[in-house]
């Protein structure tokens, strides 16, 4: 079974530029998560989707971050404009359902460096 | 608010030593789930175990064991006879399901170095 796919793996941009990350979850997984992991810290949830609806985006900086999950499968996370403090690894995860706290399966992440 | 504390930041052991990674959590809910994930140098988080709040039995899987104690709000992880390949960052995480979503709150992680 294929795991969670993410691209690109690495991205370097200058501040005030925009960037987009892509995630393809495990087939059949209804729930998709985007986490931000700053160096030396644990991942922090940015947004959670159940199918194509948003379950939780309380920690998403909505003035610069946006995310969508078209057709309840793939998802895109965008940052516009980027700030230096956005340098982090962006992890995508998926699980069977939001109910019952199924284990989440993580992708390899996208390492973003903002200069 | 939920919180996970991993007080140990870095642990270094010699191969074949036993090591225990500590995890303390805070939650107001009676129904919750606890997790351990491993993050090797490649960066991908790997699921190790999930425990629900109603099951306090200790879990053993090969050389890995988990001790869940609600009285002290702890969920500790022990590796017996550690191996070099187990060098990684280990995260403990908490999920409060009754709030309608299953987001994970992670601790800051423990960097485990197993030396040959």
């Amino acid at each position: 079974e294929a795991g969670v796919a993410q691209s690109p793996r690495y991205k370097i941009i200058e501040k005030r530029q925009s960037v987009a990350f892509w995630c393809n979850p495990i087939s059949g997984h209804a729930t998709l998560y985007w986490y931000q992991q700053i160096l030396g810290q644990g991942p922090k949830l940015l947004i959670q989707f159940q199918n194509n609806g948003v379950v939780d985006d309380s920690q998403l900086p909505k003035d610069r971050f946006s995310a969508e999950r078209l057709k309840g499968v793939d998802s895109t996370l965008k940052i516009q404009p980027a700030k230096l403090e956005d340098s982090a690894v962006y992890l995508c995860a998926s699980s069977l359902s939001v109910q019952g706290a199924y284990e989440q399966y993580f992708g390899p992440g996208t390492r973003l460096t903002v200069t | 608010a939920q919180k996970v504390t991993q007080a140990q930041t870095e642990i270094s052991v010699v191969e074949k030593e036993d090591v225990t990674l500590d995890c303390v959590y805070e939650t107001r809910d009676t129904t919750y789930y606890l997790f351990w994930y491993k993050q090797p140098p490649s960066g991908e988080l790997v699921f190790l175990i999930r425990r629900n709040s109603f099951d306090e039995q200790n879990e053993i899987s090969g050389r890995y064991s988990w001790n869940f104690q609600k009285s002290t709000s702890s969920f500790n992880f022990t590796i017996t006879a550690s191996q070099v390949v187990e060098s990684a960052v280990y995260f403990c995480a908490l999920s409060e399901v009754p709030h309608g979503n299953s987001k994970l709150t992670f601790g800051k992680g423990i960097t485990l170095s197993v030396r040959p």
Side-chain angles (χ1 to χ4, degrees):
Chain A
E1 179 183 87
V4 176
Q6 290 188 248
S7 68
R9 291 295 311 277
Y10 305 92
K11 190 74 176 179
I12 301 174
I13 62 172
E14 295 181 352
K15 59 184 179 183
R16 292 187 288 274
Q17 286 187 325
S18 62
V19 64
F21 312 128
W22 173 83
C23 173
N24 180 244
I26 292 173
S27 178
H29 280 194
T31 310
L32 185 148
Y33 313 78
W34 283 102
Y35 288 87
Q36 179 193 58
Q37 186 178 18
I38 292 173
L39 186 65
Q41 298 183 20
K44 182 187 81 171
L45 181 74
L46 292 175
I47 189 167
Q48 177 183 345
F49 294 93
Q50 176 74 2
N51 295 312
N52 59 355
V54 175
V55 175
D56 184 351
D57 64 357
S58 58
Q59 297 191 87
L60 186 74
K62 298 180 185 63
D63 58 334
R64 299 184 300 106
F65 286 64
S66 64
E68 60 182 7
R69 190 181 183 196
L70 299 175
K71 300 180 181 179
V73 182
D74 292 8
S75 177
T76 303
L77 176 69
K78 296 180 181 177
I79 307 175
Q80 181 180 9
K83 292 185 175 181
L84 294 176
E85 58 260 37
D86 297 333
S87 293
V89 175
Y90 291 84
L91 296 164
C92 179
S94 69
S95 67
L96 277 172
S97 171
V98 69
Q99 301 299 325
Y102 288 97
E103 53 266 35
Q104 297 178 23
Y105 294 88
F106 285 79
T110 296
R111 183 176 298 276
L112 174 66
T113 302
V114 183
T115 63
Chain B
Q2 54 189 4
K3 182 180 178 181
V4 175
T5 302
Q6 295 181 264
Q8 304 152 310
T9 53
E10 295 184 20
I11 300 176
S12 181
V13 299
V14 176
E15 192 173 24
K16 297 183 183 177
E17 285 186 354
D18 300 347
V19 58
T20 295
L21 310 180
D22 298 334
C23 173
V24 174
Y25 62 92
E26 295 177 29
T27 176
R28 291 173 295 184
D29 288 315
T30 56
T31 302
Y32 51 89
Y33 288 81
L34 294 163
F35 298 78
W36 275 94
Y37 279 85
K38 170 183 177 179
Q39 189 173 43
S42 61
E44 192 163 331
L45 281 157
V46 177
F47 166 79
L48 294 176
I49 190 171
R50 176 186 63 177
R51 211 85 181 123
N52 75 57
S53 53
F54 298 108
D55 185 359
E56 285 193 74
Q57 283 192 346
N58 291 333
E59 176 101 6
I60 297 175
S61 177
R63 294 181 297 103
Y64 295 176
S65 61
W66 290 269
N67 182 277
F68 177 28
Q69 292 195 344
K70 289 179 75 171
S71 60
T72 56
S73 297
S74 65
F75 186 44
N76 297 337
F77 173 29
T78 297
I79 302 175
T80 302
S82 59
Q83 299 178 355
V84 173
V85 293
E86 290 165 337
S87 296
V89 181
Y90 290 84
F91 291 96
C92 181
L94 167 69
S95 177
E96 291 179 337
V97 180
H99 290 279
N101 72 61
S102 54
K103 74 174 185 181
L104 292 173
T105 298
F106 286 85
K108 290 188 175 181
I110 301 169
T111 300
L112 174 64
S113 298
V114 183
R115 309 187 308 277

